[in-house]
Amino acid sequence: MKYTEEHEWLRLEGDVVTVGITQHASEQLGDLVFVELPSDGQEISKDQEIVVIESVKAASDILAPLDGVITAVNNLIVEEPSLVNSDPMGEGWFFKMKLKNPSDFDGLLDKEDYEKLTQ
Amino acid sequence: MDEVKRTPLYELHKKLGAKFVSFAGYSMPVQYTDGVLKEHLHTREYAGFFDVSHMGQITVWPQKGKEQDLIKCLEYLMPCDLVSLPVNRQSYSVLTNAQGGVIDDIMIANRGTHYHIVANASQKNADFEHLKKHISDTGDVCLLQGKSLLAIQGPLTESILSKVCPETTKMKFLDHYQTKIFSFPCLISRSGYTGEDGFEISVDDKDVASLSQKLFENTHLKPIGLGARDSLRMEAGLCLYGNDLNEKITPPEASLSWSIHKSRRTKSSSRSEFLGSETILDQLNKGTDYIRVGLFPSGKAPMRQGAEIYADSSGDRKIGVITSGGFSPTLSRPISISRILRTSAEQHNEIFVKVRGDLLPAKITNLPFIPSKYKKTYRGTHEIY
């Protein structure tokens, strides 16, 4: 599992990563009421705004953590945005993507670095 | 930059797990550990405790022998009926400017010896200067220091407060009494800004923490932050000054015509002269170009303040703007309040709102979204005030 400074987590399985937001981020955002996900098959590049999430308080963008192609999206959280609050690291995942350069993954933050960032 | 102010309950909020946000120069709780959704629903089902000490409390005292002159001066600044406002009663009103726009929306109470005004935090200094400027010869205006303000709102409010202050059962909507809760002198009104039955309590800063802690001994009462305060007032269809109401929006445009008391509308009477009356009374007769209406976004995306409204999906003709918008926890769907051209609102049931570049459909609806539950009758009678 790796992390970004934008409070995303990425879990690598083969050359596909599952992406979501961290517990810390979901707490900071508050109750989510709206999620808009990218389309399956969409090609994305790092730092592109690809997910919109809205809490009761405000709207925020989630940026693509790396270059790649979307291979699956979690429609459950579109139906039930509160899943992101109740289980951000599990059922509340956002999308899966196939990495353009699998080695990019190694350059992301590990758990220790990320935790330092949130303290 | 000015230093961010804190209310006397800052430490208590921290202990209760508050997240703070800067609002009108104050560091205020936006939510506690339960979060906005739960806090909102708790207020609608049980009872919520709001620290609104950032709001302004202003008193206006008549100079000796100038009681009637003061009423005249005050009525020139606000189109409510102060002539027949009884002692211990309160009224909603607006401070208007010469163009008919709104400087602030306020609550004003007749305390017998003086008037007590509750003003929005962002406008309290402006209100104070405005009042001072216009009534200097007839009254003395004081922006109170050392006073906190609490709002207790929700269906269980009366049962909670009556245990510690039995008089509250005898109060109806907009009654306003000086009394004591425990041993603390309080000024209580049966009012609030959530659409629920409830009370607002003005109490000395030195007593507010002790009073609050004693009230929290009732476990049905939970602290509620500004986040839920906003969604509650939106569901109740109430204006937030700065969003739905400002110096360029007149009361009739904000669908607040009801706040222009009928005794202030007869053109032959001197009481129909108030700041902005020419514009406002004309609008009451002829109608306004813009009105304030509710919107139900057709999809799930909230439509928030500032989003532009168009007549159709081509996006060629702009007809208004969202003034408040977000998510309704009670209805579990997005809701918005909008300022929209009257003719368009009458012609179109469905309009389109620009959200992140896309034009999304929404339906026009009446306000409020949730019917209000004010206690307008005495207990056990059917008398309507």
Side-chain angles (χ1 to χ4, degrees), chain B residues 50-109:
Chain B
F50 305 75
D51 177 16
V52 286
S53 304
H54 57 315
M55 295 184 78
Q57 298 185 59
I58 297 170
T59 53
V60 185
W61 297 75
Q63 285 173 11
K64 214 171 170 209
K66 301 259 181 85
E67 289 79 4
Q68 296 311 310
D69 299 327
L70 175 64
I71 290 180
K72 261 188 207 159
C73 283
L74 282 173
E75 282 203 340
Y76 184 68
L77 305 181
M78 56 186 93
C80 59
D81 180 15
L82 291 180
V83 169
S84 31
L85 182 68
V87 176
N88 294 334
R89 288 286 292 169
Q90 189 180 41
S91 174
Y92 175 84
S93 196
V94 284
L95 293 173
T96 48
N97 62 29
Q99 292 73 44
V102 177
I103 297 169
D104 198 6
D105 62 334
I106 59 165
M107 298 299 294
I108 180 162

Side-chain angles (χ1 to χ4, degrees), chain B residues 288-301:
Chain B
T288 53
D289 290 345
Y290 281 90
I291 53 171
R292 184 170 66 96
V293 294
L295 295 181
F296 277 129
S298 306
K300 285 191 152 197

Side-chain angles (χ1 to χ4, degrees), chain A residues 66-107:
Chain A
L66 295 170
D67 297 344
V69 176
I70 301 288
T71 59
V73 294
N74 183 6
N75 283 313
L76 275 182
I77 61 169
V78 176
E79 287 304 311
E80 195 50 66
S82 65
L83 274 179
V84 180
N85 294 109
S86 57
D87 192 10
M89 316 287 280
E91 275 204 82
W93 62 277
F94 280 28
F95 56 85
K96 295 177 195 268
M97 64 186 284
K98 193 176 156 141
L99 297 182
K100 192 174 170 193
N101 309 305
S103 61
D104 288 351
F105 186 78
D106 303 328

Side-chain angles (χ1 to χ4, degrees), chain A residues 9-18 96-97 105:
Chain A
W9 56 261
L10 297 87
R11 193 191 305 116
L12 183 66
E13 288 157 292
D15 56 357
V16 172
V17 287
T18 306
K96 295 177 195 268
M97 64 186 284
F105 186 78

